[in-house]
Each structure stands twice: as structure tokens, then as C-alpha cells.
Amino acid sequence: MIETRGLTKKYDGFQALSGLDMTVPSGSIYGLIGINGSGKTTVLRHLAGVLRQDAGEIRFDGEDVWENAAVKQHIGLVPDDLFFPNGYNLAGMKKIFAGSYAAWDDRRFHEMTQAFRLSETARLRNFSKGMKKQAMFCLVMSTMPKYLLLDEPIDGLDPIVRKLVWKYIVDDVADREMSVLVSSHNLREMEGICDHIGILSAGSMKMEREMDSLRGDLHKVQIAFGAGVPENPFAGLNVLHHEKRGSVELLLISAPRDEIESRLRVHDPLIFDILPLSLEEIFIYELGGDDDEISSLIF
Amino acid sequence: MMKSAVSFSKTWMRENFRRYWIVPVLGFMGYFLSSILPVLLCYQRFDIVSSYASISISNQNPAIIGIDCILAVLMAVCVFSYLHNSASVTMIHSFPSGRGQLFDASALSGFFMMLIPVAANGILMMSLSGARTDVSDTVLASELFSPLRCLEWIAETMIIIFFVYALSVLAGVLAGNRTIHTLLALFLNGLPFVLVIIIRMAESMFLYGYSDEILANWTLRLSPVSYMALKGTGSVPSGLQYELLYLPAAAAVLIIARLVYRRVKLEREERACVFPLIADIICILLTFICAVPSACLMMVVLTSGAHINNSFRIRYLILFVIFSAVYYLISRAIADGITHVFNRSTLKKFGIYAVIAAVFLCFTVFDLSGYSTRTPETSDVAAVEITADLVSDVTGYAPLRLTGRAAVNKTIALQKELIDSREVNDADADWSTDITITYRLKNGTAMRRTYSCMYSKDHPESFRALQTLFAAPEVIEKFTGRISKFQSRASNISLSLDETALQIHRSDWSRLFSAYRKDLRSISGSTLKTLMKNSNLYFLNVEQGNNESTIYLPVQKSDRNTMKFLQSRGYLKELKTLNSESDK
């Protein structure tokens, strides 16, 4: 499990993180989402032990990560901004990783480089952005990490490679109970992979939920009652957003689907559609602007 | 597949060797070309390069010292280059290692990479001991390149490199990018020299009599680079045991760098300086170092040697303020990485600089401490040492040390006259000589002043004071005592006129020196004038010991006893004949 409690960081007068509480359960894939500048990369750098927080704690299965080489042995970070020393190829980088991580798996490395069709002898500076990302992914995954931190892992990858990346991640989560924290803007892809979601806004956690309960709770409803509009048909329901377009009413309701159906069908609506919100729509709702902007994006 | 006994530190060190091997190779080539190749090319004629080899093996070869400094700075920039890029900072610090271990691995790998070319070159130097020459009186290659001396060279070179490297590593931890790292490394290593030059420039302009040798010597000892240069002058004790003191100093710098590294906020990488306070300090220092000489040079250009008066001081102040503002804004722009530096924060920090500069100006431009006019009390002086060009030949270039109360009083009187005559224009003087007075005070401190003592028909007071001093019995006794010492250590004496020299027979030495001492006892004002005019006719060249040194004693027409003796023995006539023959 990865935990942060009250994580706070300020630099140059800017509050990057503000009392962030986050829990990544063991063997889960946690998606960290947020608008640009919300602090996602800063969180990952703190978790990897690169930056030191001003206040708060970061623990990996109860152990503090700061200056803890033993904990960092089990952490793998694939950053968004990649670095390879000048003149190096994958074989050279392999030596660095193999010499640094006790759990390095040579066989796995060769298997992955072949699966991704990466040359171990070609200079990394000649790789495309996507290939560099794949290369870093192979290196990090071959250290057999217990905790995998990914910053925009599929940015720049083609659909086939993306599938392969997720396959390796999901397999390791299933086989080894690896805990994964992934930050990405590709919410559609994350929706299909992540089992936990955290929405970051202005350095603090706006919402943190299991994916199933999130989907189960938030629904988009379109309803029209016809001539006899009942009085207060939505009483007892947690209506988060409500607008009218002509005779059709558009709502965001936080309640189980069954409850919504049972409460609204009694009024015999002419039109009644109930849809789960996608992750993207949840993100927009949680972090979007005023009601007009939300409705134009969601409805 | 599990691996045991992995170590990021060892891996990182190995990778640094792999990435930066070219630097020690270049270092070795530099050393080889500077120290080994010249001897190899003259292997059978070692006399041609013996002087060069001598300064090389004693670490006074500027080329080799330059290579030492470049190697150390370059190595530090290379091994800590990962600190100056956001992507490399993230990746390297995410590896399983603490910051302290990462610092140790980087610093050690750089150190060992510098050791290799030095050790290799030092060992190769031993092979030069077989160089030959047929010319006698040439220092032997076997002595110069003995195993012990070569090992000493290795040790001294590593001391220089280690010290420069330590400061460069500290610069790397403080700097946020490679350019600033390089500049800061050069700045930190050059700071003692630069400060000495700057302070000397300002204080010699405004503080009449300013003599900086004490400050300069102590400041220049702060670095082994300058220490090696001073070693050759004899003004510092030389020997490996003194040079070894730089090792703990360098180690302390590295420890500080390590502590700072553990605290550095890596989110500030790629800025000019990762610590805002350090950036502020550097801006202040840079501004000061640039503004002082700029204002001084501008004043020299604008006033062409005018006397220091209130008008001069005010103009200097105005220039200093203008230059300070400009340089501060420039350095602030570099430190902050922005061009819009006109803000309240910059103004506040400039205010801090202004306070420091004001203190400096008070003691320099306005001489609030009274440096220019201060003279000691006779009762406070244990001894006084005088160095004057016009008698340096007689004293053998050593200071004249006087302890008698009368001599001390006359020295103080001379100093007072020199202070009173400071307004006298150099252009009005007929002749002048530089004179340095050092008072060794009873409290253990020293007070030193340097003046230009002029002879001017309209203002003869200081010259008369000088004459009074040199006529003092203790001074005469010291002069004659020196001559006796030269006489006792003389191995060969010749009389020279222009380029022509004539041997003095050993049987004549005793009477010759006797006559010379007699002339010294009656040293007169006209003698001093003649010495100031530097129109000595003849010189007695007195070789000391076994080719150790030669003393050049001036012989003037006014030295009646000496001239009479030389005339009576026929030396003057013979020398004139030889001289006219050589003219033809």
C-alpha cells in the first residue's frame, strides 16, 4: 500500500501540494487525474523519493520513502520527462538498472525488448519519443517493482503498444500484487484499467473512490414528464446538477441506479434515459467551471 | 531472477568512468605535452630544458597549474551534470540510493578519474631521469626526476587538483545549471586572487602609503594554486608538510558540499542558483568585484593621475554608484533568469549591498580609520625594517632592520615628512625612490607603508629626512656590516662598467672592502641624490658562495676611497681600455 497523509509542498510562493491524503491499496491500479498544473507530477516525484515534502508523510507499506534506499529498491518510476545519458543504448542502460536493483530480471528484460521490438544496441537518442517511453518501461518493469509509478505512460504510444503496456501492468498486478499509480490525461483508457481513482485539484485530493462505486453512484438522467409535471419529482434524490432544456430535464444524480429508477418511474415520464457517467464526464464535473460549462461538456 | 549484493554507488561510479573517461585522457595528454615531451625532445641535451623541467617538477609551471585547474573544474562539471537537468534529476534520484551515497559516488569517481593522469604522468617522469647533457653546471636530470621528487610532484599536483575540485563540487551543488556551475567554480577558486586585486586597487588609490603585502600573502595562501606561485618567491615557507594543510581544508569543503546536497531543493534545478541566499551573496560579491575596478579605471582615465581630493572622491562615488546599480541589475537578471528585475525585492537586496559598500567606502575613500596619516609611537615599536630601491644593492635586497630608538625616531620623522609631502606632484620631482617601512610593534603586529620619496628643489623636506635616517650610526653600522658579510662569503669579485667586467685579484679584496666601508660611513646627501638618479658608473659584482647569488655594489665618483683604491691598482684604467675596445 502507498499512503500519503497531509502531504504539503510549497516552492517559490506557489502551493504545489496542500494537505494531500491519498491511499493506493496493494495490488490496485490507481489513476491519478487532474488538470494541468494540479500537482500530479509533483506527487509522483515525492513518492519516488526525489523531492522532500514540507509537511506530511509518504509511506510504502508503513515505511517512509525519504532517503530510504531499501524502500526505493521496490519502486519503479517511469517519468514523463525521460533521461538517458548521452551515447547510451539499451544494453548500457540495462547495466545501470541491473547493477542497482536486486530484483532485476534479465530474462524478462530481453523478453520485453523483443515484444516491443526495441534494439538493445541502437543509440537511444535515435529512438522516437514513443520508443524511448517503451524503453524506459522495459527497464523499469524488469526491476520487478512492488510499486510502479507512471507519469503519462501511454503518451505518444500507438494503440498496439498501449495494449501491450497495459497487459504487462495488469499481469504483474494479478501475479505479484504490484501496486500501480498512474497519472494520465487519457481518461478513456484509464477508465478501462484503473480500479481506483483520485482526482487532484490545486494540490489537494478532490475525490478519491473505487471505480465501481464511482460508476455505481453517479448517473446522467434525461427525463421529460409531459403535460402533468409532478411536484418535486426528485425529492429524496441527491441531485448534483439540474437544468431544463425545453421540456426535457437534464440531471446529474448521485444515487444507485435502482433507486433512481424506482423513484422516477412512478411519475410515468414520457422520456427517461439513465446513463452512467464516464470517467471523463466525472472529471469534467468535479473539476469543471460553472454550470453552463459543465452542461455543455456533459450533456 | 534475483541478484544479491547490488550497489547503486558502485554502478554509478562505474558508469561515470564509462561516460567521462575522455577527461582523464585529455588531462594526461596535457600533462604529457607540458612536462614530459619537452624533455624527451631534448633527451641528449637536457641543459636546454633543465630550467623548464625544474619549474615543472616543482609545480611552478603555469601551463601545468592551468591544466590542474581545468581538469578539476571540468571533472566536477561532468560528474555533477545530472543535477542540472530536471529529467536527469528525477531519474537519478529515483534510483535506490540516499543523497549522501549518490554524492559520495559522484565525487569519488571524479577524484579517481583525476588521479589517474597525474599518477601516470608522475611515473613517466621517473623515466626522464636518464636525460643527459654535456654542459657542466646543469642540474642533473637524475636529481630532478628522482623517484622521491616525482612522488612529491604527484602529491603536490593532487593537492592542487583536490582543492580546486572540492570548490568546484560545492559550486555544482549550489548552481542550477551547467553554465552557472562552471562560472561559479571559476569564481569560487579565483575569489581570493580577485579580492586581493580589487582591494589593492581601491586602497592603493585612496590610502596614501598603502602596502598590501601582508594581506596579499595571507589571502593568496588561501589556495594551493597561488601558494605554489608564492613558494617560488620565498615569501611563504615551502615544503610538502605545509602544502598538506590544504587537504583537510578541501575535505571540509567537500563535507559542506555533501551537507548542502542533502538539503538542496531539487525542484529549483535549472535556475541559476538553487539557494536564493547564495544567489544574493554572489550577486553582491559580483557587483562589488566589478564596480570597484570599473570606477577606479574610469577615474584614472578621466583624471590622468590627479591628486586625491574631495572632488576626486565625489566623482569616484558617483561612478561607483552608477556601476554598482548596473552590475547589480545584470547579476540579478542572471541569478533570477529574468530580465524584469526592477521590483521591490531587488531594491531591498540592493539596499543590503549599499550598506556593505558604504562600510567599504568609508574606510577606503574617506579613510575613516586614519590609515594614511597614522604613525606609531616610538615606544610601541620593537623594530623597523626599511626597503628602499636606492640602497637595495647595498643591503643585498634584504630589508634593513633597525632596533635603536634613534633610528626608529628618524624613521617615524621620515614617514611624517612623506605624509606631509603627499600633495607634491610627481612631475615636480627631480628624482624619486620607493621606500617601504615596516614597523614590528611590541604587541606582535606589524604596520607597513610604502611611499615614493622624492627629491624636489622646492620641497626637499622628505629627502632631507631620508638623508638624516641613512646617516644614523645604526644604519651606517648595518650597511658596513652587510658589506663585511658579503666580503666573508665572496668567491669571486669583478668590477664592471656597462657590459665590460674585470676580475679583482683576491689579494686586493680586503683593502677594496675596507675602502668601500669607509665611503659608506660618510654617505652624504649628494651620494643619495646620485643613487636616486641611478647614474652609478661602476659596479662591484660580488659572487656569493658556490654560484648561489651575486651582489651588485654601486661605485660612484663620490665614493672617493674606493675610487682612489681602484685607480691606484690600475683597475679603472684597464677597465676603461677594455670597455672602449669592446665598443669598437
Side-chain angles (χ1 to χ4, degrees):
Chain A
M1 176 160 58
I2 306 171
E3 279 181 296
T4 72
R5 289 288 167 259
L7 193 62
T8 304
K9 181 71 174 181
K10 186 175 185 177
Y11 48 89
D12 288 344
F14 172 68
Q15 192 73 44
L17 298 174
S18 179
L20 176 71
D21 292 336
M22 182 177 71
T23 304
V24 179
S26 295
S28 69
I29 302 177
Y30 187 108
L32 184 65
I33 55 180
I35 59 172
N36 296 331
S38 57
K40 301 186 298 298
T41 299
T42 304
V43 169
L44 286 167
R45 292 178 93 198
H46 277 87
L47 292 177
V50 175
L51 302 181
R52 187 174 194 181
Q53 67 273 25
D54 296 332
E57 290 180 339
I58 301 170
R59 293 194 179 275
F60 287 74
D61 286 332
E63 287 215 47
D64 195 350
V65 72
W66 177 251
E67 294 282 278
N68 192 335
V71 167
K72 289 166 89 172
Q73 271 284 333
H74 303 294
I75 299 174
L77 170 70
V78 180
D80 185 28
D81 212 358
L82 298 172
F83 167 74
F84 298 106
N86 269 343
Y88 270 58
N89 55 24
L90 262 176
M93 288 304 298
K94 185 194 92 169
K95 285 182 187 161
I96 298 178
F97 278 79
S100 306
Y101 290 92
W104 173 265
D105 189 336
D106 225 26
R107 188 187 52 80
R108 180 175 217 189
F109 177 73
H110 290 301
E111 178 204 311
M112 285 183 77
T113 51
Q114 280 178 4
F116 284 100
R117 296 186 194 171
L118 298 173
S119 164
E120 289 189 32
T121 53
R123 292 264 168 99
L124 284 158
R125 69 160 177 246
N126 296 330
F127 280 19
S128 68
K129 180 184 168 187
M131 287 167 73
K132 284 179 184 169
K133 208 141 230 184
Q134 294 166 51
M136 184 57 82
F137 183 71
C138 293
L139 287 163
V140 171
M141 287 296 280
S142 302
T143 66
M144 310 304 281
K146 274 174 72 175
Y147 316 99
L148 182 63
L149 310 174
L150 304 163
D151 196 354
E152 305 287 349
I154 52 174
D155 185 31
L157 300 182
D158 63 61
I160 297 167
V161 170
R162 283 210 296 264
K163 249 184 135 70
L164 199 51
V165 166
W166 289 127
K167 180 188 173 308
Y168 274 107
I169 292 172
V170 168
D171 285 349
D172 272 18
V173 168
D175 296 342
R176 299 190 294 114
E177 279 218 2
M178 182 173 70
S179 307
V180 182
L181 172 64
V182 55
S183 112
S184 178
H185 287 118
N186 195 324
L187 301 180
R188 275 197 199 161
E189 200 119 356
M190 298 257 276
E191 192 164 12
I193 297 290
C194 298
D195 43 47
H196 286 75
I197 283 293
I199 300 180
L200 199 61
S201 175
S204 59
M205 194 63 78
K206 198 155 171 79
M207 183 179 76
E208 187 181 47
R209 299 276 285 278
E210 273 190 60
M211 202 62 172
D212 288 341
S213 73
L214 192 69
R215 281 202 203 98
D217 278 354
L218 269 181
H219 295 89
K220 190 163 57 176
V221 174
Q222 287 184 86
I223 191 165
F225 292 103
V229 179
E231 203 176 309
N232 211 5
F234 310 112
L237 286 171
N238 184 9
V239 176
L240 302 176
H241 177 79
H242 183 191
E243 72 175 87
K244 226 172 162 165
R245 287 186 193 166
S247 59
V248 177
E249 295 184 64
L250 307 166
L251 302 101
L252 278 179
I253 300 177
S254 175
R257 188 191 175 101
D258 296 343
E259 189 181 333
I260 298 171
E261 283 220 34
S262 61
R263 281 186 188 269
L264 294 178
R265 283 220 187 269
V266 297
H267 301 295
D268 204 17
L270 288 178
I271 298 168
F272 180 49
D273 288 316
I274 178 167
L275 301 162
L277 279 178
S278 70
L279 185 57
E280 197 164 325
E281 287 166 331
I282 294 170
F283 176 82
I284 292 166
Y285 172 71
E286 290 288 345
L287 297 177
D290 58 28
D291 286 351
D292 284 345
E293 288 173 10
I294 292 171
S295 71
S296 70
L297 289 165
I298 293 178
F299 292 106
Chain B
M1 179 178 72
M2 290 283 290
K3 286 180 71 170
S4 60
V6 294
S7 164
F8 175 72
S9 295
K10 281 186 197 156
T11 304
W12 189 238
M13 284 183 70
R14 188 191 64 221
E15 292 303 318
N16 273 339
F17 271 85
R18 203 179 141 196
R19 289 163 72 193
Y20 303 121
W21 60 269
I22 191 70
V23 177
V25 166
L26 289 174
F28 174 78
M29 280 171 58
Y31 287 128
F32 183 86
L33 291 172
S34 313
S35 60
I36 308 252
L37 186 62
V39 179
L40 283 179
L41 291 175
C42 300
Y43 201 76
Q44 301 298 332
R45 287 292 313 274
F46 183 67
D47 52 289
I48 297 174
V49 291
S50 61
S51 305
Y52 181 82
S54 186
I55 62 165
S56 295
I57 196 75
S58 55
N59 259 306
Q60 291 176 302
N61 185 337
I64 294 180
I65 293 179
I67 293 168
D68 295 340
C69 296
I70 292 170
L71 179 64
V73 171
L74 186 59
M75 200 78 254
V77 170
C78 286
V79 295
F80 284 95
S81 60
Y82 69 89
L83 272 181
H84 303 137
N85 172 278
S86 174
S88 56
V89 159
T90 300
M91 178 167 150
I92 303 301
H93 288 89
S94 69
F95 274 99
S97 170
R99 285 196 188 183
Q101 290 77 32
L102 181 54
F103 176 89
D104 294 341
S106 301
L108 274 173
S109 57
F111 177 77
F112 285 123
M113 278 194 277
M114 293 184 307
L115 179 60
I116 292 167
V118 175
N121 198 71
I123 290 167
L124 270 181
M125 273 181 171
M126 292 184 203
S127 67
L128 300 176
S129 60
R132 303 169 202 285
T133 179
D134 294 328
V135 177
S136 60
D137 297 338
T138 304
V139 63
L140 296 172
S142 56
E143 286 175 17
L144 267 187
F145 295 112
S146 66
L148 184 64
R149 288 215 57 185
C150 291
L151 287 172
E152 258 188 41
W153 180 85
I154 293 174
E156 284 183 344
T157 306
M158 281 314 298
I159 288 169
I160 294 173
I161 286 178
F162 184 48
F163 191 90
V164 175
Y165 179 69
L167 284 173
S168 304
V169 165
L170 178 62
V173 174
L174 297 175
N177 60 57
R178 238 182 265 195
T179 306
I180 300 296
H181 180 183
T182 309
L183 292 174
L184 189 56
L186 295 172
F187 178 77
L188 287 179
N189 278 292
L191 195 57
F193 312 100
V194 172
L195 277 177
V196 164
I197 292 170
I198 301 302
I199 292 173
R200 179 187 289 180
M201 186 184 279
E203 304 216 321
S204 58
M205 178 175 264
F206 291 101
L207 299 180
Y208 184 65
Y210 179 74
S211 182
D212 63 351
E213 282 168 49
I214 297 171
L215 168 70
N217 275 352
W218 280 105
T219 310
L220 291 174
R221 284 189 215 192
L222 290 176
S223 167
V225 177
S226 50
Y227 172 85
M228 295 296 171
L230 281 180
K231 202 170 67 160
T233 66
S235 55
V236 293
S238 69
L240 198 57
Q241 66 273 31
Y242 299 103
E243 293 155 23
L244 285 172
L245 292 172
Y246 290 107
L247 287 179
V253 169
L254 277 178
I255 290 170
I256 291 169
R258 192 181 195 269
L259 288 169
V260 170
Y261 184 97
R262 294 192 68 190
R263 296 180 66 82
V264 77
K265 295 194 177 213
L266 292 174
E267 60 270 20
R268 289 187 62 89
E269 290 303 338
E270 294 187 347
R271 289 157 209 259
C273 202
V274 291
F275 290 94
L277 178 63
I278 302 294
D280 294 341
I281 293 171
I282 290 169
C283 283
I284 286 173
L285 277 173
L286 259 179
T287 303
F288 178 79
I289 283 167
C290 294
V292 168
S294 297
C296 286
L297 287 170
M298 191 63 88
M299 285 306 295
V300 168
V301 166
L302 291 175
T303 61
S304 301
H307 275 296
I308 311 295
N309 52 26
N310 284 337
S311 161
F312 187 100
R313 290 190 177 89
I314 288 166
R315 279 183 284 172
Y316 178 85
L317 276 179
I318 294 169
L319 283 172
F320 183 81
V321 168
I322 294 170
F323 279 121
S324 292
V326 168
Y327 287 125
Y328 190 79
L329 288 174
I330 293 171
S331 50
R332 202 73 250 177
I334 295 171
D336 297 341
I338 53 174
T339 50
H340 304 294
V341 290
F342 288 101
N343 53 49
R344 197 176 286 181
S345 169
T346 302
L347 202 58
K348 261 199 307 192
K349 289 172 184 175
F350 186 75
I352 297 170
Y353 165 80
V355 168
I356 297 168
V359 170
F360 172 77
L361 291 170
C362 281
F363 284 97
T364 316
V365 177
F366 297 104
D367 191 16
L368 281 189
S369 67
Y371 181 97
S372 303
T373 53
R374 195 179 311 131
T375 56
E377 296 295 327
T378 310
S379 54
D380 295 335
V381 178
V384 61
E385 291 167 8
I386 296 170
T387 312
D389 288 347
L390 82 173
V391 293
S392 56
D393 298 321
V394 177
T395 60
Y397 303 97
L400 193 64
R401 186 180 166 89
L402 308 169
T403 52
R405 196 182 173 86
V408 170
N409 276 337
K410 286 183 172 127
T411 307
I412 294 172
L414 167 62
Q415 188 193 354
K416 284 178 177 167
E417 287 298 340
L418 289 167
I419 291 170
D420 290 341
S421 65
R422 64 180 156 172
E423 299 293 327
V424 174
N425 206 324
D426 289 354
D428 295 337
D430 296 319
W431 311 289
S432 68
T433 185
D434 286 338
I435 181 164
T436 298
I437 302 170
T438 306
Y439 298 102
R440 302 286 175 194
L441 303 179
K442 288 176 182 168
N443 62 14
T445 59
M447 179 180 155
R448 178 174 294 171
R449 299 290 186 270
T450 299
Y451 303 102
S452 180
C453 181
M454 290 175 285
Y455 174 75
S456 161
K457 283 196 184 101
D458 298 326
H459 301 281
E461 296 84 6
S462 54
F463 177 77
R464 286 208 189 106
L466 181 70
Q467 184 187 343
T468 306
L469 173 63
F470 282 144
E474 189 184 352
V475 173
I476 299 293
E477 197 188 314
K478 285 278 172 20
F479 280 158
T480 53
R482 288 278 169 90
I483 299 301
S484 298
K485 193 176 165 190
F486 297 150
Q487 180 185 355
S488 67
R489 299 194 68 239
S491 56
N492 189 37
I493 300 176
S494 60
L495 179 72
S496 64
L497 172 67
D498 299 329
E499 301 294 322
T500 314
L502 178 68
Q503 291 293 110
I504 304 286
H505 298 298
R506 193 174 277 266
S507 56
D508 289 332
W509 287 7
S510 177
R511 286 161 61 192
L512 173 62
F513 278 110
S514 183
Y516 199 84
R517 277 193 289 273
K518 212 168 174 181
D519 287 325
L520 269 180
R521 284 189 199 101
S522 57
I523 196 164
S524 64
S526 61
T527 307
L528 288 178
K529 274 187 221 168
T530 316
L531 285 172
M532 274 187 175
K533 272 162 73 175
N534 201 22
S535 58
N536 300 314
L537 203 56
Y538 299 95
F539 276 97
L540 285 174
N541 311 312
V542 185
E543 290 176 26
Q544 300 285 280
N546 185 10
N547 261 330
E548 287 165 18
S549 60
T550 304
I551 307 295
Y552 301 96
L553 299 175
V555 179
Q556 307 169 82
K557 280 184 184 166
S558 53
D559 294 327
R560 277 180 288 175
N561 294 290
T562 310
M563 290 295 284
K564 191 176 168 188
F565 175 76
L566 290 169
Q567 180 76 26
S568 69
R569 299 295 294 159
Y571 289 114
L572 294 182
K573 190 176 174 186
E574 196 178 338
L575 187 59
K576 267 189 188 151
T577 308
L578 283 172
N579 197 36
S580 18
E581 279 172 10
S582 69
D583 283 345
K584 287 175 194 165

